Amino acid sequence: MTDLHIDIDRLIERLAALAEIGAIAGTEGCARLALTDEDRAGRDLVVSWMHDLELNVTIDGIGNVVGVMAGSTEGAPVMTGSHIDTVRTGGRYDGNLGVLAGLEVIETLRIANVTPDRPLAVAFFTDEEGARFPPDMLGSLVYVGGMGVEEAHAITGIDGATVGSELDRIGYLGSAPLPGAAPHAFVELHVEQGPVLETEGLTIGAVTGVQGISWTEVTVTGQSNHAGTTPMELRRDPGVVAFKVGSFVHELAHELGAPQVATVGRIEMHPNLVNVVPASATFTIDLRHTDNDMLLKAERRTKDFLTAAAASENCTIELRSLARFDPVIFDETVVCAVENIATAQGHAVRRMPSGAGHDAQMLARVCPTGMVFVPSVGGVSHNPAEYTSPEDLEAGANVLLHVMLDLAAT
Ligand code: HGY
Ligand code: MN
Ligand code: MN
């Protein structure tokens, strides 16, 4: 079966068709925030492809969709997949590649009349991005039993809607049992979304794990006042606290050094008017590190700074944790399979951790799990200009094909 290979034109065609949904005008990217009408349309298209491939399709109570191809034996499937929800400035490969390459693997086997020993499954998990409804990887977290489905349904998004009401509204409040059945193994193909593979001239990343993630929403409350009449010493300006903390976490990441990263991605002032000293400022802090002790240290340093900055402006603070996931190490057998198969196929490969969060980090809780990375041009992602060459897409999908067959033979 080593001569089996995917059809890259078919894969690129599907990527393009899916990217049409929520397309960002003038770019190659798309915007399909979780559980929006655009997400529903994307889901409907991928489900139609699953049916075309005669997969047994199930939808669970958090809207995860799993398509299964029967094997020559019964038992838990080898699963692949990822997500098809995007951020507002999404590229066409983030998540989508992992799902559509999974369908391409199935179609390649169907055409070659190959039945794998074990069943194969392709999944897309709900709300991987967590951008509308935090935390990220919400669907796969519920799938593995890391959060109850009722608790997930009650999550309120940045626009005030709840997960449960939106799942119902778009018709993806399914009935398949949760937690979902543990696969025999899980392997996810994903664009690297960083600069490492391209910089080192490599084609495949054998991903060793995912770094720890800490998301906090901070609300600083001061006193709204007149921008023209209020002397500086009488102000209680939450905006000043937000700006100080934003630059503090940036400096802290530089001080602690890679792989520490820190981002203030969302900030809202109230009443957000040019001539009003704000009443409140709400912003998010995203901290990440491969080492949990270092991540805890960064969280502590940030909280201490924030508390002092608020006190100096005579403001109060309220913190809300949006996501907190420890670093994850992937299963050595799966990492080895990726490494060995990529090498056997003649690709330059290296082991590396993932800077981004992925559904695989949740599936790692219930089965042997790994990931395959392919290069992102310029290391750019969460940007409509996100790009991976057809050669690298093909290499990644062929490695996925043979890693899945290898895992399905055990
Ligand atoms: O935030 C992340 O790392 C992923 O894109 N959800
Ligand atoms: Mn992703
Ligand atoms: Mn993403």
Side-chain angles (χ1 to χ4, degrees), residues 83 85 87 94-95 128-129 190 193 356-357 381-382:
H83 60 96
D85 65 297
V87 293
D94 177 0
E128 186 279 345
E129 293 294 357
H190 205 288
Q193 302 180 290
S381 184
H382 285 187

Side-chain angles (χ1 to χ4, degrees), residues 82-306:
S82 191
H83 60 96
I84 59 171
D85 65 297
T86 77
V87 293
R88 271 206 196 100
T89 52
R92 65 174 52 189
Y93 305 101
D94 177 0
N96 303 306
L97 173 63
V99 177
L100 301 185
L103 294 185
E104 178 53 33
V105 164
I106 301 288
E107 184 148 7
T108 301
L109 297 177
R110 287 277 194 235
I111 292 168
N113 256 326
V114 168
T115 303
D117 296 352
R118 284 182 170 277
L120 300 184
V122 183
F124 62 81
F125 296 101
T126 294
D127 188 36
E128 186 279 345
E129 293 294 357
R132 183 184 181 199
F133 299 105
D136 50 348
M137 289 74 73
L138 177 63
S140 47
L141 177 67
V142 174
Y143 185 89
V144 300
M147 181 187 283
V149 68
E150 299 309 325
E151 183 186 348
H153 283 174
I155 291 172
T156 303
I158 55 175
D159 51 13
T162 64
V163 167
S165 62
E166 287 292 273
L167 271 173
D168 195 22
R169 185 181 69 80
I170 68 168
Y172 277 88
L173 184 56
S175 55
L178 282 169
H184 172 65
F186 182 83
V187 55
E188 179 176 358
L189 171 62
H190 205 288
V191 289
E192 178 202 333
Q193 302 180 290
V196 174
L197 291 175
E198 184 186 52
T199 309
E200 298 184 10
L202 303 172
T203 306
I204 299 292
V207 186
T208 53
V210 178
Q211 66 178 346
I213 299 175
S214 161
W215 287 1
T216 305
E217 180 187 76
V218 181
T219 300
V220 187
T221 305
Q223 181 189 44
S224 73
N225 228 321
H226 196 294
T229 59
T230 312
M232 296 309 282
E233 64 280 9
L234 295 185
R235 295 181 180 209
R236 294 172 50 212
D237 185 345
V240 172
V241 178
F243 303 138
K244 281 182 179 174
V245 173
S247 65
F248 172 78
V249 293
H250 180 82
E251 297 313 319
L252 180 66
H254 280 292
E255 176 201 325
L256 297 178
Q260 180 66 53
V261 286
T263 311
V264 173
R266 175 161 66 86
I267 182 163
E268 285 142 22
M269 300 287 196
H270 173 69
N272 207 29
L273 298 172
V274 62
N275 59 352
V276 181
V277 175
S280 66
T282 299
F283 60 99
T284 56
I285 301 172
D286 178 325
L287 299 171
R288 307 200 195 191
H289 202 292
T290 50
D291 177 300
N292 206 45
D293 291 341
M294 287 300 292
L295 186 53
L296 289 166
K297 181 177 170 186
E299 287 174 319
R300 249 192 328 273
R301 294 268 309 266
T302 301
K303 188 163 178 216
D304 291 349
F305 181 87
L306 170 62

